[in-house]
Amino acid sequence: MSGLKIETSVTTLQQYEQLPENIRAEVFDGEIFYMASPSQEHQTLLTELLVSIRNYLQRKKGECFVFPAPFDVKLSDRPLTIVQPDIMIICDKTKLDGKRCNGAPDFIIEIISPGNPADDYIRKLYYYQKFGVREYWIVDPQRKSVTVNFFEKNILNVPYTFDSIIKVSIYEDLYIDFSDISGFLNT
């Protein structure tokens, strides 16, 4: 969920870390973009998806971790590229340094904000594929759709609706039932 481009550049991690704590921002090729506060609908979807994934990972007693935003992912030092995906799964714990993930998560979900869908559909799609994310989902509450990109097998832009049960391709048996999740949006 990124947003308004600010005419400021951040070329080092140290400069990024000096931003005020109350500022949510992402950096693409050294250019900083402020992030808007998420809506109730956004946070409801994030919470339900996060709980589904966390419950699965706990049941499987696997080695992977799931994190919600805000949690930094540094995709590149040069040029500096730092994102804050809405939800991410990280299976290589050596990428975690206590502050952020250094390198691509295995799985990312972004939930579209109405004011900036191009960020998730175009910009982040490009960066996530370029830097080695294995699977990337775009959840669009306005369209009630989910777009699945399984980069590992070069399967791109597979559309689903909010009444679908969708398999997380990086796992053999993780399915997310969007009809269950979207039911929370009406409450």
Side-chain angles (χ1 to χ4, degrees), residues 17-154:
E17 289 176 338
Q18 290 174 351
L19 291 172
E21 272 190 43
N22 63 334
I23 299 294
R24 288 191 60 214
E26 295 181 311
V27 180
F28 295 94
D29 292 332
E31 292 184 57
I32 190 166
F33 292 77
Y34 283 153
M35 299 172 67
S37 293
S39 68
Q40 178 181 334
E41 180 178 55
H42 180 281
Q43 292 304 88
T44 300
L45 281 167
L46 185 144
T47 300
E48 295 306 318
L49 288 164
L50 182 69
V51 168
S52 293
I53 294 167
R54 182 194 54 118
N55 289 345
Y56 172 84
L57 293 175
Q58 285 181 336
R59 227 177 20 256
K60 291 297 185 174
K61 297 178 178 26
E63 299 292 321
C64 300
F65 302 90
V66 61
F67 295 100
F71 188 70
D72 289 342
V73 173
K74 183 177 59 144
L75 294 173
S76 173
D77 282 312
R78 292 178 184 244
L80 186 64
T81 301
I82 297 176
V83 293
Q84 290 186 358
D86 289 316
I87 298 174
M88 69 198 90
I89 297 175
I90 301 161
C91 297
D92 180 354
K93 63 182 167 187
T94 65
K95 291 181 178 181
L96 298 169
D97 68 6
K99 288 181 162 183
R100 71 186 57 83
C101 175
N102 296 288
D106 294 270
F107 177 75
I108 289 177
I109 295 176
E110 292 286 5
I111 301 168
I112 297 289
S113 296
N116 59 341
D119 282 351
D120 296 317
Y121 281 110
I122 299 169
R123 183 193 335 257
K124 288 186 179 181
L125 176 77
Y126 168 77
Y127 283 93
Y128 292 161
Q129 186 173 23
K130 175 181 177 179
F131 287 105
V133 172
R134 295 169 61 198
E135 186 169 356
Y136 171 44
W137 288 15
I138 304 166
V139 177
D140 190 332
Q142 301 300 310
R143 294 181 180 169
K144 298 196 179 333
S145 68
V146 180
T147 304
V148 173
N149 297 281
F150 186 32
F151 299 132
E152 199 168 73
K153 299 283 186 184
N154 203 31

